[in-house]
Amino acid sequence: MRRITRSERRWKARVGAAAFVATGMLLPARVAPAPAEVATTYREAISVELANVDVVVEDREGKPVQGLGREDFTVLVDGRPVELTNFAAYRFDAAPPRAAAPSASPAAAPPAVASPATSPAAEPPPAATWVVYVDFSRLRHFARVEAVRQTRRFLERSMHPGEEVLVVGFDTRALRVLGKLGDAAAAGRALEGIEGRAAIPGQPVALDADPIERAANEQEFELALQLQIGAFRDLLSIVDALEGRVALLLVGGGMDLSGVADDRRGVLLGDYRRLLERANSGRVTMYSIYAGPDRFPPVGADTPKDQEPDLLTKLDADVDAPTPEGRSTLAAFAEETGGLSFVSAKDLAASLSRARDDFDIYYSLGYRPPAGSSAKRQKLEVRVRDERLHVRHRRELRGRSPEQTA
């Protein structure tokens, strides 16, 4: 008899609960005899809403900085400082030190000396879930093979016990789960299955037959982009169901909006912007891996963003572009959620170690949002006292609906 894994139990519990609520079925309450005399006490319920932002702090060389305390951080919401209500520092230790055996006559402990800026001891971070999303639109064969191979090597070397990986792909027609939620070995087998193939196993769609480039007219071009955007929207629905922090590795070639008719471009830009907003509504950090057209083979994985093809510079001036010029649509997801951008290259697996560091050493800051701001988009900015340090975090936070928080 097959053993049910923790992840399967978790998914079944969530799906079962959702189905039960959706059907509206309520169990009949058991009637108990009324008590003779019960004193009634009235209490006023006060709902206090708190928000949280995860923060990575790096030095000038991109190395994570440890040992900071609550007093080192300032959080601004829509430009206004807010009070920190909670603070936690996380650090993963591969081999935590063993506790010393107690001696028969322990020596007296020396008095504790408080430092001027005492910071709490770092706690082990909770296990994260990693999602690999391969968007086969606009991918190039050699870049795709390299990106998938390097991503597989990274996962096999870097996953911690208790962490799970989900592999999802978009085959230019529909979103498909290529590897169920499992350990790094299972994810590696799923990625290896698509590493050198010309199509997703069991699907006749050629991965290099880009429907966007083959579009005969603007209508076909727009339809291909709508499918691409819809698949990413479905992906975010899957991510919303995962517990805790999520690292999302995006392998693709971005979304080219330049071929859309002028009167329709604003609509697709609005859809794209809403994807960015939704990505910011949960605890997902995205890491983009560009493997599309105009990739420069000689560069390394940490290519400067100005060398990555800009897919938004041709937008009309009167259109509210979701990202500044100089960033592709793929890289924008990474920057907006506090992640990093990479390019498919032979050193990608090593460069992805920075993503591993982001989930091993970071800070969690809790704060109370300003009154009336919980239902709208909140622009976030986190500052550290030492201006030589660099901070990464999501750029904005949007209040979650009751359906999202249920």
Side-chain angles (χ1 to χ4, degrees), residues 355-397:
R356 175 72 273 175
D357 290 341
D358 288 355
F359 283 74
D360 284 350
I361 303 173
Y362 66 96
Y363 302 89
S364 183
L365 310 179
Y367 64 92
R368 184 174 293 108
S373 65
S374 60
K376 65 178 184 179
R377 286 163 45 196
Q378 307 166 23
K379 293 291 184 180
L380 295 180
E381 181 184 0
V382 179
R383 299 174 182 174
V384 288
R385 187 161 50 183
D386 191 340
E387 297 181 353
R388 297 171 299 177
L389 303 178
H390 175 65
V391 180
R392 281 192 289 111
H393 58 87
R394 65 184 64 257
R395 301 289 181 86
E396 65 180 36
L397 185 66

mmCIF file of all heavy atoms in Angstrom, residues 355-397:
data_model
loop_
_atom_site.group_PDB
_atom_site.id
_atom_site.type_symbol
_atom_site.label_atom_id
_atom_site.label_comp_id
_atom_site.label_asym_id
_atom_site.label_seq_id
_atom_site.Cartn_x
_atom_site.Cartn_y
_atom_site.Cartn_z
ATOM 1 N N ALA A 355 19.940 32.718 -4.679
ATOM 2 C CA ALA A 355 18.551 32.446 -4.332
ATOM 3 C C ALA A 355 18.467 31.554 -3.099
ATOM 4 O O ALA A 355 17.608 31.742 -2.226
ATOM 5 C CB ALA A 355 17.825 31.797 -5.512
ATOM 6 N N ARG A 356 19.363 30.572 -3.013
ATOM 7 C CA ARG A 356 19.424 29.722 -1.841
ATOM 8 C C ARG A 356 19.730 30.550 -0.593
ATOM 9 O O ARG A 356 19.120 30.369 0.465
ATOM 10 C CB ARG A 356 20.488 28.661 -2.060
ATOM 11 C CG ARG A 356 20.782 27.735 -0.895
ATOM 12 C CD ARG A 356 19.675 26.727 -0.645
ATOM 13 N NE ARG A 356 18.616 27.233 0.234
ATOM 14 C CZ ARG A 356 17.511 26.556 0.498
ATOM 15 N NH1 ARG A 356 17.305 25.382 -0.043
ATOM 16 N NH2 ARG A 356 16.590 27.069 1.293
ATOM 17 N N ASP A 357 20.684 31.483 -0.706
ATOM 18 C CA ASP A 357 21.030 32.357 0.423
ATOM 19 C C ASP A 357 19.834 33.192 0.872
ATOM 20 O O ASP A 357 19.665 33.450 2.073
ATOM 21 C CB ASP A 357 22.188 33.279 0.044
ATOM 22 C CG ASP A 357 23.506 32.538 -0.114
ATOM 23 O OD1 ASP A 357 23.619 31.406 0.406
ATOM 24 O OD2 ASP A 357 24.415 33.091 -0.760
ATOM 25 N N ASP A 358 19.009 33.629 -0.091
ATOM 26 C CA ASP A 358 17.855 34.455 0.264
ATOM 27 C C ASP A 358 16.906 33.741 1.207
ATOM 28 O O ASP A 358 16.220 34.386 2.019
ATOM 29 C CB ASP A 358 17.085 34.847 -1.006
ATOM 30 C CG ASP A 358 17.823 35.875 -1.841
ATOM 31 O OD1 ASP A 358 18.893 36.352 -1.395
ATOM 32 O OD2 ASP A 358 17.338 36.198 -2.952
ATOM 33 N N PHE A 359 16.827 32.421 1.117
ATOM 34 C CA PHE A 359 15.920 31.655 1.961
ATOM 35 C C PHE A 359 16.633 31.036 3.161
ATOM 36 O O PHE A 359 15.986 30.388 3.982
ATOM 37 C CB PHE A 359 15.223 30.578 1.131
ATOM 38 C CG PHE A 359 14.114 31.118 0.280
ATOM 39 C CD1 PHE A 359 14.382 31.859 -0.860
ATOM 40 C CD2 PHE A 359 12.789 30.913 0.633
ATOM 41 C CE1 PHE A 359 13.368 32.373 -1.642
ATOM 42 C CE2 PHE A 359 11.758 31.421 -0.144
ATOM 43 C CZ PHE A 359 12.051 32.159 -1.280
ATOM 44 N N ASP A 360 17.941 31.219 3.240
ATOM 45 C CA ASP A 360 18.710 30.717 4.384
ATOM 46 C C ASP A 360 19.007 31.805 5.407
ATOM 47 O O ASP A 360 19.071 31.532 6.605
ATOM 48 C CB ASP A 360 20.031 30.106 3.907
ATOM 49 C CG ASP A 360 19.847 28.740 3.275
ATOM 50 O OD1 ASP A 360 18.737 28.187 3.371
ATOM 51 O OD2 ASP A 360 20.820 28.225 2.687
ATOM 52 N N ILE A 361 19.213 33.032 4.921
ATOM 53 C CA ILE A 361 19.580 34.140 5.802
ATOM 54 C C ILE A 361 18.734 35.343 5.416
ATOM 55 O O ILE A 361 18.945 35.961 4.361
ATOM 56 C CB ILE A 361 21.078 34.486 5.681
ATOM 57 C CG1 ILE A 361 21.938 33.262 5.997
ATOM 58 C CG2 ILE A 361 21.436 35.645 6.605
ATOM 59 C CD1 ILE A 361 23.415 33.476 5.731
ATOM 60 N N TYR A 362 17.764 35.679 6.253
ATOM 61 C CA TYR A 362 16.916 36.831 5.960
ATOM 62 C C TYR A 362 16.249 37.300 7.247
ATOM 63 O O TYR A 362 16.380 36.685 8.314
ATOM 64 C CB TYR A 362 15.871 36.489 4.896
ATOM 65 C CG TYR A 362 14.834 35.467 5.306
ATOM 66 C CD1 TYR A 362 13.587 35.852 5.791
ATOM 67 C CD2 TYR A 362 15.084 34.103 5.184
ATOM 68 C CE1 TYR A 362 12.634 34.917 6.147
ATOM 69 C CE2 TYR A 362 14.141 33.159 5.538
ATOM 70 C CZ TYR A 362 12.911 33.570 6.018
ATOM 71 O OH TYR A 362 11.974 32.625 6.386
ATOM 72 N N TYR A 363 15.534 38.409 7.120
ATOM 73 C CA TYR A 363 14.840 39.013 8.254
ATOM 74 C C TYR A 363 13.354 39.131 7.920
ATOM 75 O O TYR A 363 12.976 39.340 6.762
ATOM 76 C CB TYR A 363 15.407 40.405 8.567
ATOM 77 C CG TYR A 363 16.885 40.389 8.880
ATOM 78 C CD1 TYR A 363 17.821 40.529 7.861
ATOM 79 C CD2 TYR A 363 17.336 40.233 10.180
ATOM 80 C CE1 TYR A 363 19.183 40.507 8.135
ATOM 81 C CE2 TYR A 363 18.694 40.212 10.469
ATOM 82 C CZ TYR A 363 19.611 40.345 9.442
ATOM 83 O OH TYR A 363 20.958 40.319 9.721
ATOM 84 N N SER A 364 12.528 38.985 8.927
ATOM 85 C CA SER A 364 11.087 39.118 8.765
ATOM 86 C C SER A 364 10.615 40.271 9.653
ATOM 87 O O SER A 364 10.828 40.255 10.870
ATOM 88 C CB SER A 364 10.375 37.822 9.149
ATOM 89 O OG SER A 364 8.984 37.932 8.926
ATOM 90 N N LEU A 365 9.982 41.264 9.032
ATOM 91 C CA LEU A 365 9.554 42.467 9.745
ATOM 92 C C LEU A 365 8.035 42.538 9.737
ATOM 93 O O LEU A 365 7.405 42.517 8.667
ATOM 94 C CB LEU A 365 10.132 43.718 9.079
ATOM 95 C CG LEU A 365 11.638 43.717 8.781
ATOM 96 C CD1 LEU A 365 12.051 45.000 8.096
ATOM 97 C CD2 LEU A 365 12.450 43.501 10.047
ATOM 98 N N GLY A 366 7.442 42.606 10.910
ATOM 99 C CA GLY A 366 6.001 42.761 11.032
ATOM 100 C C GLY A 366 5.662 44.190 11.389
ATOM 101 O O GLY A 366 6.364 44.840 12.167
ATOM 102 N N TYR A 367 4.580 44.692 10.832
ATOM 103 C CA TYR A 367 4.171 46.071 11.096
ATOM 104 C C TYR A 367 2.656 46.180 10.978
ATOM 105 O O TYR A 367 1.983 45.313 10.421
ATOM 106 C CB TYR A 367 4.851 47.043 10.122
ATOM 107 C CG TYR A 367 4.470 46.834 8.674
ATOM 108 C CD1 TYR A 367 3.408 47.528 8.093
ATOM 109 C CD2 TYR A 367 5.163 45.927 7.874
ATOM 110 C CE1 TYR A 367 3.052 47.319 6.772
ATOM 111 C CE2 TYR A 367 4.815 45.715 6.552
ATOM 112 C CZ TYR A 367 3.756 46.419 6.008
ATOM 113 O OH TYR A 367 3.408 46.210 4.701
ATOM 114 N N ARG A 368 2.124 47.265 11.522
ATOM 115 C CA ARG A 368 0.696 47.532 11.435
ATOM 116 C C ARG A 368 0.468 48.550 10.315
ATOM 117 O O ARG A 368 0.928 49.684 10.399
ATOM 118 C CB ARG A 368 0.166 48.066 12.767
ATOM 119 C CG ARG A 368 -1.340 48.286 12.791
ATOM 120 C CD ARG A 368 -1.831 48.672 14.183
ATOM 121 N NE ARG A 368 -1.666 47.569 15.113
ATOM 122 C CZ ARG A 368 -0.759 47.545 16.090
ATOM 123 N NH1 ARG A 368 0.076 48.560 16.245
ATOM 124 N NH2 ARG A 368 -0.671 46.516 16.906
ATOM 125 N N PRO A 369 -0.236 48.172 9.248
ATOM 126 C CA PRO A 369 -0.450 49.107 8.142
ATOM 127 C C PRO A 369 -1.229 50.336 8.593
ATOM 128 O O PRO A 369 -2.019 50.273 9.546
ATOM 129 C CB PRO A 369 -1.254 48.293 7.125
ATOM 130 C CG PRO A 369 -1.060 46.862 7.526
ATOM 131 C CD PRO A 369 -0.863 46.870 9.006
ATOM 132 N N PRO A 370 -1.023 51.471 7.945
ATOM 133 C CA PRO A 370 -1.815 52.664 8.263
ATOM 134 C C PRO A 370 -3.303 52.396 8.093
ATOM 135 O O PRO A 370 -3.718 51.561 7.293
ATOM 136 C CB PRO A 370 -1.307 53.713 7.255
ATOM 137 C CG PRO A 370 0.049 53.236 6.855
ATOM 138 C CD PRO A 370 -0.012 51.734 6.915
ATOM 139 N N ALA A 371 -4.115 53.106 8.854
ATOM 140 C CA ALA A 371 -5.564 52.912 8.792
ATOM 141 C C ALA A 371 -6.078 53.142 7.379
ATOM 142 O O ALA A 371 -5.715 54.120 6.720
ATOM 143 C CB ALA A 371 -6.257 53.869 9.766
ATOM 144 N N GLY A 372 -6.909 52.207 6.914
ATOM 145 C CA GLY A 372 -7.519 52.342 5.604
ATOM 146 C C GLY A 372 -6.669 51.902 4.445
ATOM 147 O O GLY A 372 -7.095 52.002 3.291
ATOM 148 N N SER A 373 -5.460 51.390 4.709
ATOM 149 C CA SER A 373 -4.573 51.015 3.608
ATOM 150 C C SER A 373 -4.581 49.529 3.305
ATOM 151 O O SER A 373 -3.976 49.102 2.328
ATOM 152 C CB SER A 373 -3.133 51.433 3.922
ATOM 153 O OG SER A 373 -2.638 50.713 5.044
ATOM 154 N N SER A 374 -5.261 48.724 4.131
ATOM 155 C CA SER A 374 -5.178 47.277 3.971
ATOM 156 C C SER A 374 -5.881 46.784 2.714
ATOM 157 O O SER A 374 -5.574 45.699 2.223
ATOM 158 C CB SER A 374 -5.786 46.585 5.203
ATOM 159 O OG SER A 374 -7.143 46.965 5.355
ATOM 160 N N ALA A 375 -6.834 47.551 2.188
ATOM 161 C CA ALA A 375 -7.589 47.088 1.028
ATOM 162 C C ALA A 375 -7.040 47.629 -0.286
ATOM 163 O O ALA A 375 -7.642 47.420 -1.327
ATOM 164 C CB ALA A 375 -9.056 47.492 1.179
ATOM 165 N N LYS A 376 -5.920 48.307 -0.250
ATOM 166 C CA LYS A 376 -5.362 48.861 -1.478
ATOM 167 C C LYS A 376 -3.892 48.489 -1.581
ATOM 168 O O LYS A 376 -3.289 47.914 -0.674
ATOM 169 C CB LYS A 376 -5.524 50.371 -1.497
ATOM 170 C CG LYS A 376 -4.727 51.092 -0.404
ATOM 171 C CD LYS A 376 -4.887 52.594 -0.498
ATOM 172 C CE LYS A 376 -4.006 53.295 0.538
ATOM 173 N NZ LYS A 376 -4.123 54.765 0.446
ATOM 174 N N ARG A 377 -3.302 48.824 -2.707
ATOM 175 C CA ARG A 377 -1.882 48.563 -2.912
ATOM 176 C C ARG A 377 -1.050 49.464 -2.019
ATOM 177 O O ARG A 377 -1.298 50.668 -1.900
ATOM 178 C CB ARG A 377 -1.528 48.804 -4.375
ATOM 179 C CG ARG A 377 -2.011 47.738 -5.314
ATOM 180 C CD ARG A 377 -2.010 48.207 -6.751
ATOM 181 N NE ARG A 377 -0.787 48.907 -7.105
ATOM 182 C CZ ARG A 377 -0.666 49.656 -8.184
ATOM 183 N NH1 ARG A 377 -1.693 49.810 -8.996
ATOM 184 N NH2 ARG A 377 0.476 50.240 -8.474
ATOM 185 N N GLN A 378 -0.062 48.867 -1.384
ATOM 186 C CA GLN A 378 0.818 49.611 -0.496
ATOM 187 C C GLN A 378 2.233 49.584 -1.053
ATOM 188 O O GLN A 378 2.790 48.515 -1.272
ATOM 189 C CB GLN A 378 0.803 48.998 0.913
ATOM 190 C CG GLN A 378 -0.572 48.829 1.518
ATOM 191 C CD GLN A 378 -0.550 47.926 2.727
ATOM 192 O OE1 GLN A 378 0.475 47.753 3.379
ATOM 193 N NE2 GLN A 378 -1.692 47.321 3.034
ATOM 194 N N LYS A 379 2.797 50.738 -1.295
ATOM 195 C CA LYS A 379 4.175 50.833 -1.733
ATOM 196 C C LYS A 379 5.089 50.626 -0.529
ATOM 197 O O LYS A 379 4.970 51.328 0.475
ATOM 198 C CB LYS A 379 4.452 52.192 -2.375
ATOM 199 C CG LYS A 379 3.715 52.413 -3.694
ATOM 200 C CD LYS A 379 4.267 51.503 -4.776
ATOM 201 C CE LYS A 379 3.605 51.774 -6.108
ATOM 202 N NZ LYS A 379 4.130 50.877 -7.186
ATOM 203 N N LEU A 380 5.976 49.638 -0.630
ATOM 204 C CA LEU A 380 6.854 49.301 0.487
ATOM 205 C C LEU A 380 8.277 49.763 0.223
ATOM 206 O O LEU A 380 8.775 49.669 -0.901
ATOM 207 C CB LEU A 380 6.858 47.786 0.724
ATOM 208 C CG LEU A 380 5.551 47.141 1.181
ATOM 209 C CD1 LEU A 380 5.743 45.648 1.362
ATOM 210 C CD2 LEU A 380 5.064 47.769 2.475
ATOM 211 N N GLU A 381 8.917 50.240 1.264
ATOM 212 C CA GLU A 381 10.332 50.560 1.224
ATOM 213 C C GLU A 381 10.942 50.208 2.576
ATOM 214 O O GLU A 381 10.408 50.604 3.619
ATOM 215 C CB GLU A 381 10.564 52.036 0.922
ATOM 216 C CG GLU A 381 12.038 52.406 0.843
ATOM 217 C CD GLU A 381 12.278 53.884 0.631
ATOM 218 O OE1 GLU A 381 11.287 54.647 0.533
ATOM 219 O OE2 GLU A 381 13.460 54.292 0.578
ATOM 220 N N VAL A 382 12.009 49.445 2.549
ATOM 221 C CA VAL A 382 12.711 49.071 3.775
ATOM 222 C C VAL A 382 14.114 49.654 3.706
ATOM 223 O O VAL A 382 14.824 49.470 2.708
ATOM 224 C CB VAL A 382 12.772 47.540 3.946
ATOM 225 C CG1 VAL A 382 13.544 47.185 5.221
ATOM 226 C CG2 VAL A 382 11.367 46.946 3.999
ATOM 227 N N ARG A 383 14.503 50.352 4.755
ATOM 228 C CA ARG A 383 15.824 50.953 4.825
ATOM 229 C C ARG A 383 16.598 50.355 5.997
ATOM 230 O O ARG A 383 16.009 49.945 7.005
ATOM 231 C CB ARG A 383 15.727 52.474 5.011
ATOM 232 C CG ARG A 383 15.003 53.203 3.874
ATOM 233 C CD ARG A 383 14.828 54.667 4.206
ATOM 234 N NE ARG A 383 14.091 55.376 3.154
ATOM 235 C CZ ARG A 383 13.701 56.645 3.251
ATOM 236 N NH1 ARG A 383 13.988 57.340 4.367
ATOM 237 N NH2 ARG A 383 13.037 57.213 2.263
ATOM 238 N N VAL A 384 17.927 50.314 5.838
ATOM 239 C CA VAL A 384 18.791 49.892 6.927
ATOM 240 C C VAL A 384 19.648 51.070 7.343
ATOM 241 O O VAL A 384 19.928 51.981 6.549
ATOM 242 C CB VAL A 384 19.679 48.696 6.524
ATOM 243 C CG1 VAL A 384 18.862 47.437 6.416
ATOM 244 C CG2 VAL A 384 20.403 48.977 5.227
ATOM 245 N N ARG A 385 20.076 51.030 8.599
ATOM 246 C CA ARG A 385 20.824 52.162 9.137
ATOM 247 C C ARG A 385 22.166 52.346 8.441
ATOM 248 O O ARG A 385 22.604 53.474 8.200
ATOM 249 C CB ARG A 385 21.022 51.948 10.644
ATOM 250 C CG ARG A 385 21.645 53.116 11.372
ATOM 251 C CD ARG A 385 21.380 53.033 12.851
ATOM 252 N NE ARG A 385 21.709 51.723 13.401
ATOM 253 C CZ ARG A 385 21.503 51.385 14.669
ATOM 254 N NH1 ARG A 385 20.953 52.264 15.486
ATOM 255 N NH2 ARG A 385 21.821 50.194 15.109
ATOM 256 N N ASP A 386 22.819 51.234 8.079
ATOM 257 C CA ASP A 386 24.091 51.300 7.370
ATOM 258 C C ASP A 386 23.821 51.476 5.882
ATOM 259 O O ASP A 386 23.367 50.555 5.200
ATOM 260 C CB ASP A 386 24.895 50.024 7.615
ATOM 261 C CG ASP A 386 26.332 50.127 7.119
ATOM 262 O OD1 ASP A 386 26.607 50.998 6.268
ATOM 263 O OD2 ASP A 386 27.172 49.334 7.573
ATOM 264 N N GLU A 387 24.090 52.642 5.353
ATOM 265 C CA GLU A 387 23.782 52.944 3.953
ATOM 266 C C GLU A 387 24.667 52.178 2.975
ATOM 267 O O GLU A 387 24.396 52.191 1.773
ATOM 268 C CB GLU A 387 23.921 54.448 3.701
ATOM 269 C CG GLU A 387 22.928 55.282 4.517
ATOM 270 C CD GLU A 387 23.072 56.760 4.231
ATOM 271 O OE1 GLU A 387 24.031 57.135 3.505
ATOM 272 O OE2 GLU A 387 22.235 57.543 4.728
ATOM 273 N N ARG A 388 25.707 51.527 3.448
ATOM 274 C CA ARG A 388 26.556 50.746 2.552
ATOM 275 C C ARG A 388 25.928 49.411 2.194
ATOM 276 O O ARG A 388 26.381 48.743 1.255
ATOM 277 C CB ARG A 388 27.926 50.508 3.212
ATOM 278 C CG ARG A 388 28.728 51.772 3.483
ATOM 279 C CD ARG A 388 29.944 51.454 4.335
ATOM 280 N NE ARG A 388 29.559 50.894 5.634
ATOM 281 C CZ ARG A 388 30.426 50.475 6.555
ATOM 282 N NH1 ARG A 388 31.725 50.538 6.298
ATOM 283 N NH2 ARG A 388 29.993 49.996 7.699
ATOM 284 N N LEU A 389 24.898 49.024 2.904
ATOM 285 C CA LEU A 389 24.254 47.744 2.669
ATOM 286 C C LEU A 389 23.113 47.888 1.661
ATOM 287 O O LEU A 389 22.510 48.950 1.526
ATOM 288 C CB LEU A 389 23.724 47.165 3.982
ATOM 289 C CG LEU A 389 24.764 46.964 5.090
ATOM 290 C CD1 LEU A 389 24.102 46.424 6.344
ATOM 291 C CD2 LEU A 389 25.887 46.054 4.621
ATOM 292 N N HIS A 390 22.823 46.785 0.975
ATOM 293 C CA HIS A 390 21.762 46.752 -0.037
ATOM 294 C C HIS A 390 20.617 45.870 0.473
ATOM 295 O O HIS A 390 20.841 44.789 1.026
ATOM 296 C CB HIS A 390 22.304 46.191 -1.353
ATOM 297 C CG HIS A 390 21.255 46.012 -2.397
ATOM 298 N ND1 HIS A 390 20.566 47.067 -2.956
ATOM 299 C CD2 HIS A 390 20.760 44.887 -2.991
ATOM 300 C CE1 HIS A 390 19.703 46.615 -3.843
ATOM 301 N NE2 HIS A 390 19.791 45.300 -3.892
ATOM 302 N N VAL A 391 19.391 46.351 0.277
ATOM 303 C CA VAL A 391 18.204 45.662 0.777
ATOM 304 C C VAL A 391 17.356 45.211 -0.403
ATOM 305 O O VAL A 391 17.150 45.961 -1.365
ATOM 306 C CB VAL A 391 17.376 46.584 1.696
ATOM 307 C CG1 VAL A 391 16.136 45.857 2.205
ATOM 308 C CG2 VAL A 391 18.223 47.064 2.861
ATOM 309 N N ARG A 392 16.868 43.982 -0.338
ATOM 310 C CA ARG A 392 15.932 43.462 -1.330
ATOM 311 C C ARG A 392 14.669 42.973 -0.647
ATOM 312 O O ARG A 392 14.741 42.255 0.356
ATOM 313 C CB ARG A 392 16.555 42.326 -2.151
ATOM 314 C CG ARG A 392 17.483 42.805 -3.247
ATOM 315 C CD ARG A 392 17.844 41.703 -4.222
ATOM 316 N NE ARG A 392 18.736 40.702 -3.646
ATOM 317 C CZ ARG A 392 18.404 39.475 -3.379
ATOM 318 N NH1 ARG A 392 17.165 39.061 -3.602
ATOM 319 N NH2 ARG A 392 19.275 38.633 -2.871
ATOM 320 N N HIS A 393 13.538 43.349 -1.203
ATOM 321 C CA HIS A 393 12.235 42.933 -0.682
ATOM 322 C C HIS A 393 11.205 43.234 -1.747
ATOM 323 O O HIS A 393 11.497 43.883 -2.764
ATOM 324 C CB HIS A 393 11.896 43.687 0.614
ATOM 325 C CG HIS A 393 11.891 45.183 0.446
ATOM 326 N ND1 HIS A 393 10.786 45.888 0.035
ATOM 327 C CD2 HIS A 393 12.882 46.101 0.595
ATOM 328 C CE1 HIS A 393 11.078 47.165 -0.037
ATOM 329 N NE2 HIS A 393 12.344 47.322 0.283
ATOM 330 N N ARG A 394 9.989 42.769 -1.550
ATOM 331 C CA ARG A 394 8.940 43.051 -2.515
ATOM 332 C C ARG A 394 8.661 44.552 -2.523
ATOM 333 O O ARG A 394 8.730 45.222 -1.488
ATOM 334 C CB ARG A 394 7.692 42.247 -2.224
ATOM 335 C CG ARG A 394 6.990 42.565 -0.920
ATOM 336 C CD ARG A 394 5.811 41.634 -0.688
ATOM 337 N NE ARG A 394 6.268 40.254 -0.547
ATOM 338 C CZ ARG A 394 6.171 39.355 -1.492
ATOM 339 N NH1 ARG A 394 5.647 39.662 -2.648
ATOM 340 N NH2 ARG A 394 6.605 38.128 -1.294
ATOM 341 N N ARG A 395 8.307 45.078 -3.691
ATOM 342 C CA ARG A 395 8.133 46.517 -3.849
ATOM 343 C C ARG A 395 6.786 47.020 -3.336
ATOM 344 O O ARG A 395 6.652 48.198 -2.984
ATOM 345 C CB ARG A 395 8.281 46.895 -5.320
ATOM 346 C CG ARG A 395 9.626 46.512 -5.929
ATOM 347 C CD ARG A 395 10.729 47.371 -5.385
ATOM 348 N NE ARG A 395 12.011 47.013 -5.981
ATOM 349 C CZ ARG A 395 12.469 47.489 -7.120
ATOM 350 N NH1 ARG A 395 11.733 48.338 -7.824
ATOM 351 N NH2 ARG A 395 13.652 47.123 -7.587
ATOM 352 N N GLU A 396 5.798 46.172 -3.332
ATOM 353 C CA GLU A 396 4.483 46.600 -2.868
ATOM 354 C C GLU A 396 3.743 45.405 -2.312
ATOM 355 O O GLU A 396 4.115 44.252 -2.533
ATOM 356 C CB GLU A 396 3.675 47.268 -3.983
ATOM 357 C CG GLU A 396 3.323 46.346 -5.132
ATOM 358 C CD GLU A 396 2.519 47.066 -6.201
ATOM 359 O OE1 GLU A 396 2.779 48.264 -6.454
ATOM 360 O OE2 GLU A 396 1.653 46.414 -6.805
ATOM 361 N N LEU A 397 2.689 45.691 -1.582
ATOM 362 C CA LEU A 397 1.865 44.649 -0.984
ATOM 363 C C LEU A 397 0.423 45.046 -1.180
ATOM 364 O O LEU A 397 0.045 46.209 -0.996
ATOM 365 C CB LEU A 397 2.176 44.491 0.505
ATOM 366 C CG LEU A 397 1.483 43.360 1.247
ATOM 367 C CD1 LEU A 397 1.960 42.019 0.722
ATOM 368 C CD2 LEU A 397 1.747 43.458 2.742
#
